[in-house]
Amino acid sequence: MSALASIVISGLLMGAIYALLAGGLTLIWGVMRIVNLAHGEFLMLGCFATYWLAGSGVMPLATLLLTTPAFFALGALVYVLIVRRVVGAPELMSLLMTFGLSIFVINVGVIAWSGELRLVRFLSGSYAFGDVLVSKSRLVAGLIAVAISLAMFAFLQRTRWGQAIRAVAYDREIAEQCGIDSGRIYMLVFGLGTALAAAAGGLASTIFAFSPLIGQQFILKAFAVTVLGGMGNFAGALVAGIALGVVEQLVSYLIDSQIAAAVAFVVIILTLLVRPQGILGAR
Amino acid sequence: MWRDVGRNLRELSWAWRAGILSALAFTLAYFWGGAPYYQSLLLSIAMYVVLASSWNVISGFAGYVSFGHVVFWGLGAYLTAVLVSRAGWPWPLALAGAGLGTAVFAALIAYPLLRLSGVYFAIAMLALAEAVKVGITYARPVTGGGGGIYLRPLVGVDDAFLMMALLAICLVVLLAVLQKTRFMQSLLAIRSNELASASLGIPTTRRKIEAFALSAFFPAIAGGIYILNTAFIDPRTAFDIAITLNIILMTVFGGIGTVLGPVIGPFAFMALSETLWAQFPFIHKALLGVAVVLLVLFLPRGVVPALMRLGAWGERREHAG
């Protein structure tokens, strides 16, 4: 029983990181109608940024304070340089362009850092709650991920900027007539999405060994979360991310860890077929 | 429909007939006299012509962009391998079985999957390819799991090249003569506006399923020929997303929704990647990423439409269309 509880808690915490990553993906889709296939690569770059900073003596969690603004700026720059040109184009064009970006970043990463696995060492060991053991690094990373997701949700719901973002997502033309500069909103959203991915990467790097190829594993999970939560639905992504984390852990504990890899894909296909608006969505 | 095909075949332009004959002559010349290196290069170009042309049916003509086309190639390779090594079928029969089996699989999944559209369909296909990969890795007793299947080498590179090139020529000619049939015109109508097409009486669901099965059949045979030649397949190779992306890039570069685009694309792409490979052995993949971004920015409709706009022939076609 305590083993099962550990598994569920571990899944919850893993899911919180999925939710953070997918939050960025779903935000960009909801506002810009672009599926960012390079989203996992921003996570990978976030892992490496944390690795460097931690290597030069910064406390791993404090690195987020440095990397998140830096990746916000990087995302805004990528938007201005290339992504801007495919907003509103047929979806094949935005899929291809972000895919090209993804291949570029992965391969530059492989050239620069080789394919070897790295890990940010931080908080080894576990906390014991009665019989239930929870890994320290996982607990801290998961809680921070939830905190960032909730802060982002509050930003979208409560602030004027958040309102402007939701207005553009709802109807770009009406928002523009109300005096909102949609180009600036897109830049803001792409920057925020990128920063969320990098934050997820920074947290994941303290739990997992990573290489320049890690983005590809995560992007497929982020897709599953995005689809399950309803594409463009930030709160949905939060719930769905945590759900996916738990289900994956349970499947790998109760059935087989190889099959757990397929959970994300089965979730995508079933959700699209049965409930395409997602678990929280009403379209 | 078959009467239309017959008429289109008789009315093929001289340029088309000359092109088909020279492609056949070129194939035979290389089959008898080519060096193995060029045969294997042309083998992979012909394979990509098959893959790109078949992707173009569902994604270019019908407008359902798939990000999981490699699944049909991989399934074809696995079915061929299993039929030959486990069931002991002779390989030509196994190839046919793989093609038909994969087409039936496509027809079965088409009904639910093709209810999705746009980016949802693209992602569902991506997920399907990955799910099939995990399934095949898991079905170890039949498929050998992650370690893959080894066969005795059954077909040499020259024979494989000949079969693949003939398959590619057949598919391209088939698509050319299908152009002015109700089938292909319904696909174009579905791409423009599916609801309006249905209200005009086009059986859209049936057409989409047929198109999907057609676009699954040829890659499966190509996958079968591939494994008969290489004699080894594992899940990582068979369902490599890079293959899907090569297919999409080649087709978009050549011209999506045109018959000749997916023929030109693989030649250009292979030439580019062989040169990049030779010049910059380490950074060629990163440069490929840059090339993709530039392609989307500057040539989103591809080479063939651009050439058609240039020539007077293209002008007449545009007036006619």
Side-chain angles (χ1 to χ4, degrees):
Chain A
M1 200 58 221
S2 67
L4 195 62
S6 295
I7 294 289
V8 170
I9 291 172
S10 157
L12 284 171
L13 297 171
M14 194 60 232
I17 292 178
Y18 291 163
L20 186 60
L21 177 69
L25 194 65
T26 209
L27 183 66
I28 291 172
W29 165 259
V31 180
M32 304 172 71
R33 299 277 134 179
I34 284 177
V35 173
N36 181 14
L37 291 178
H39 200 64
E41 275 55 67
F42 291 125
L43 172 132
M44 178 270 281
L45 291 176
C47 290
F48 276 93
T50 294
Y51 181 77
W52 280 337
L53 289 170
S56 59
V58 184
M59 197 183 102
L61 295 179
T63 60
L64 290 188
L65 298 175
L66 300 171
T67 56
T68 320
F71 276 90
F72 176 82
L74 176 69
L77 184 70
V78 169
Y79 170 77
V80 171
L81 287 181
I82 56 172
V83 175
R84 183 164 56 95
R85 296 167 203 260
V86 290
V87 175
E91 67 258 8
L92 177 61
M93 291 302 134
S94 53
L95 286 169
L96 262 188
M97 155 160 299
T98 54
F99 177 69
L101 184 62
S102 150
I103 310 180
F104 175 73
V105 175
I106 292 175
N107 288 291
V108 169
V110 171
I111 294 165
W113 303 308
S114 81
E116 75 182 76
L117 289 169
R118 296 173 163 84
L119 178 69
V120 176
R121 297 200 184 283
F122 179 63
L123 291 182
S124 52
S126 303
Y127 294 111
F129 300 97
D131 304 346
V132 181
L133 290 176
V134 181
S135 140
K136 283 183 189 173
S137 56
R138 215 173 251 238
L139 182 68
V140 172
L143 291 178
I144 293 176
V146 171
I148 297 175
S149 287
L150 289 176
M152 188 69 210
F153 185 61
F155 170 78
L156 290 173
Q157 295 296 323
R158 302 283 165 163
T159 63
R160 280 185 74 78
W161 279 104
Q163 257 181 350
I165 289 173
R166 286 185 293 131
V168 173
Y170 187 73
D171 190 316
R172 176 182 174 173
E173 286 183 10
I174 295 176
E176 280 177 347
Q177 292 195 336
C178 298
I180 297 173
D181 178 350
S182 63
R184 275 178 78 187
I185 294 293
Y186 287 155
M187 190 172 86
L188 174 69
V189 162
F190 205 82
L192 285 173
T194 307
L196 290 179
L203 295 170
S205 70
T206 63
I207 304 179
F208 281 118
F210 57 91
S211 78
L213 306 176
I214 194 179
Q216 292 173 317
Q217 300 163 26
F218 272 88
I219 187 82
L220 287 164
K221 303 203 167 152
F223 272 149
V225 171
T226 306
V227 167
L228 181 62
M231 290 186 71
N233 187 332
F234 192 85
L238 188 52
V239 176
I242 290 173
L244 180 71
V246 173
V247 172
E248 262 188 4
Q249 289 286 330
L250 283 178
V251 169
S252 91
Y253 176 66
L254 297 173
I255 308 173
D256 187 305
S257 63
Q258 264 189 322
I259 284 292
V263 166
F265 315 123
V266 174
V267 163
I268 292 179
I269 294 173
L270 288 183
T271 316
L272 285 175
L273 295 179
V274 179
R275 199 175 161 78
Q277 72 273 39
I279 43 177
L280 294 189
R283 256 215 294 225
Chain B
M1 178 180 142
W2 293 113
R3 219 170 48 207
D4 290 339
V5 169
R7 197 195 59 225
N8 290 341
L9 194 58
R10 281 194 302 279
E11 289 179 359
L12 268 187
S13 70
W14 285 110
W16 262 103
R17 292 176 187 217
I20 295 166
L21 283 180
S22 45
L24 284 172
F26 183 78
T27 303
L28 289 177
Y30 266 89
F31 171 61
W32 278 310
Y37 170 75
Y38 288 105
Q39 285 180 341
S40 85
L41 182 66
L42 285 168
L43 170 66
S44 53
I45 291 179
M47 187 179 88
Y48 272 111
V49 170
V50 173
L51 293 175
S53 296
S54 60
W55 180 79
N56 197 29
V57 172
I58 189 71
S59 301
F61 295 122
Y64 276 75
V65 173
S66 159
F67 263 67
H69 200 60
V70 69
V71 72
F72 302 129
W73 181 80
L75 269 180
Y78 261 101
L79 272 175
T80 308
V82 168
L83 289 177
V84 168
S85 72
R86 306 276 192 266
W89 290 23
W91 63 262
L93 205 59
L95 271 187
L100 290 176
T102 308
V104 168
F105 169 76
L108 290 177
I109 59 169
Y111 184 71
L113 277 181
L114 288 164
R115 279 169 35 201
L116 306 166
S117 62
V119 70
Y120 297 93
F121 177 73
I123 294 178
M125 283 300 295
L126 184 72
L128 177 77
E130 292 294 322
V132 170
K133 171 164 120 186
V134 174
I136 283 194
T137 311
Y138 197 67
R140 193 178 307 270
V142 185
T143 63
I149 297 190
Y150 291 88
L151 295 181
R152 280 181 300 114
L154 288 167
V155 174
V157 66
D158 49 347
D159 293 329
F161 158 66
L162 181 67
M163 288 194 286
M164 197 71 93
L166 292 179
L167 185 70
I169 293 171
C170 283
L171 175 58
V172 173
V173 172
L174 175 69
L175 293 178
V177 298
L178 280 175
Q179 279 294 290
K180 286 178 190 156
T181 58
R182 278 177 173 271
F183 171 70
M184 199 59 101
Q185 295 299 316
S186 334
L187 296 188
L188 297 178
I190 289 170
R191 180 177 72 185
S192 314
N193 188 330
E194 189 161 345
L195 195 62
S197 311
S199 69
L200 279 174
I202 295 174
T204 53
T205 308
R206 213 183 118 190
R207 289 288 170 268
K208 286 190 295 183
I209 294 176
E210 289 165 358
F212 203 53
L214 178 68
S215 81
F217 177 78
F218 284 90
I221 306 249
I225 297 173
Y226 173 87
I227 189 183
L228 289 176
N229 176 231
T230 59
F232 170 70
I233 192 89
D234 68 346
R236 289 173 72 92
T237 325
F239 303 100
D240 187 354
I241 188 174
I243 294 178
T244 300
L245 290 150
N246 288 345
I247 296 168
I248 300 177
L249 282 181
M250 290 171 184
T251 317
V252 171
F253 176 78
I256 186 169
T258 63
V259 176
L260 284 179
V263 180
I264 292 175
F267 279 95
F269 188 92
M270 285 296 185
L272 180 74
S273 92
E274 292 280 303
T275 7
L276 283 183
W277 182 277
Q279 298 287 319
F280 310 104
F282 292 108
I283 53 175
H284 75 282
K285 277 194 170 166
L287 288 177
L288 188 63
V290 175
V292 176
V293 173
L294 294 179
L295 173 65
V296 174
L297 288 183
F298 297 111
L299 200 65
R301 292 183 58 198
V303 172
V304 167
L307 290 177
M308 273 166 65
R309 275 198 302 279
L310 280 180
W313 174 70
E315 271 173 42
R316 275 207 309 281
R317 288 273 304 229
E318 275 178 21
H319 283 299

